[in-house]
Amino acid sequence: MAARDDILTRAQIDDALAGLPDWRYRLGGLVTVYKTPTAASALELIAAVGRVAEDMDHHPDLDWRYNRVFIRFSSHDVGGEVTTRDTRAAASVSEAASAAGGEAQPGLYRSVDIGIDTADAAAISEVWRVALGYRKGRFGDLVDPYGRGPGVWFQETPTPNDNRLHLDVHRSKAESATVLEKTAATGALMNSDHAPNWVVVTDAQGNRLCLCTEEGQGPDIAGSEGN
């Protein structure tokens, strides 16, 4: 079990990731995707990850899609942050993936949150939490305890947007340029005032989404969860 003083700062996470090229930082966790030659070899990799998890008594969120395995490590016992247990586990999984013929494709790992504009988050958050079966997260947001549904966070503002709900699509900065270019090519309005942290995209009917990166996020960065 990790202690609060085991939580890594964003600078420490970045230092660790310099030696973990297969992995990216994402909203309190380390994430990656491995592509294997076949579905059978993906199952072999999953078994290897399971052995690592049991040996270290630290278990990831894992999703299998044919010959790709999506993996996320986070220390839930300290509120969903990155600790040294996560970096050690990520290093061990990278070794197992290499032995299984896995190819790292971390750019495929994207996360989606729902942002809600509101003048009073406390007045509505419990409705969303109960209806979704979620729990409270790191910064007053709501998270699926099983890691399957999108997160929900509340953007408090005295002037909520007419379209109060928007999506935050999180990708790694290293892989974000292509998506930004392709989205701009659709004719959407692109507001890059806060880039590279996030770019606000507005479609022709006024609906918004944000294309976000890990910049400006971390346990030691105030307000890192929203935009």
Side-chain angles (χ1 to χ4, degrees):
M1 178 176 291
R4 293 295 302 179
D5 56 6
D6 292 329
I7 296 172
L8 301 183
T9 66
R10 181 56 199 278
Q12 290 172 322
I13 293 170
D14 288 344
D15 286 345
L17 287 174
L20 296 169
D22 295 356
W23 297 80
R24 303 288 185 265
Y25 176 72
R26 178 75 49 76
L27 297 172
L30 300 181
V31 303
T32 193
V33 179
Y34 286 107
K35 178 184 177 182
T36 61
T38 64
S41 56
L43 285 172
E44 293 172 3
L45 173 57
I46 291 169
V49 172
R51 288 190 291 271
V52 168
E54 285 294 292
D55 289 344
M56 302 186 70
D57 192 25
H58 190 48
H59 301 81
D61 294 334
L62 186 149
D63 190 13
W64 171 39
R65 290 292 183 264
Y66 186 59
N67 66 336
R68 287 181 173 86
V69 181
F70 293 70
I71 306 171
R72 182 179 190 272
F73 276 107
S74 181
S75 293
H76 301 292
D77 51 358
V78 292
E81 301 289 357
V82 175
T83 67
T84 53
R85 288 192 305 166
D86 300 300
T87 58
R88 289 197 302 267
S92 295
V93 166
S94 291
E95 293 179 5
S98 178
E103 173 193 352
Q105 297 182 331
L108 294 182
Y109 201 115
R110 64 182 181 275
S111 307
V112 177
D113 284 347
I114 300 171
I116 303 176
D117 278 13
T118 176
D120 186 358
I124 64 173
S125 63
E126 189 67 0
V127 174
W128 288 85
R129 187 191 69 79
V130 172
L132 290 166
Y134 278 18
R135 62 173 176 80
K136 290 185 178 179
R138 304 154 68 220
F139 302 108
D141 54 323
L142 303 177
V143 296
D144 184 344
Y146 302 105
R148 294 185 56 80
V152 177
W153 68 282
F154 302 92
Q155 180 164 275
E156 291 209 44
T157 171
T159 56
N161 193 277
D162 289 340
N163 294 321
R164 292 197 175 204
L165 272 65
H166 74 273
L167 298 184
D168 288 342
V169 183
H170 295 267
R171 288 182 172 84
S172 298
K173 180 183 175 182
E175 291 90 17
S176 65
T178 299
V179 174
L180 288 169
E181 291 174 5
K182 289 183 177 179
T183 304
T186 68
L189 177 65
M190 310 286 286
N191 182 332
S192 300
D193 288 351
H194 299 282
N197 298 29
W198 69 85
V199 173
V200 181
V201 180
T202 305
D203 69 18
Q205 298 179 4
N207 303 298
R208 296 176 302 145
L209 62 88
C210 294
L211 297 178
C212 310
T213 74
E214 71 275 19
E215 292 297 305
Q217 298 176 3
D220 50 336
I221 300 174
S224 64
E225 192 75 6
N227 51 51

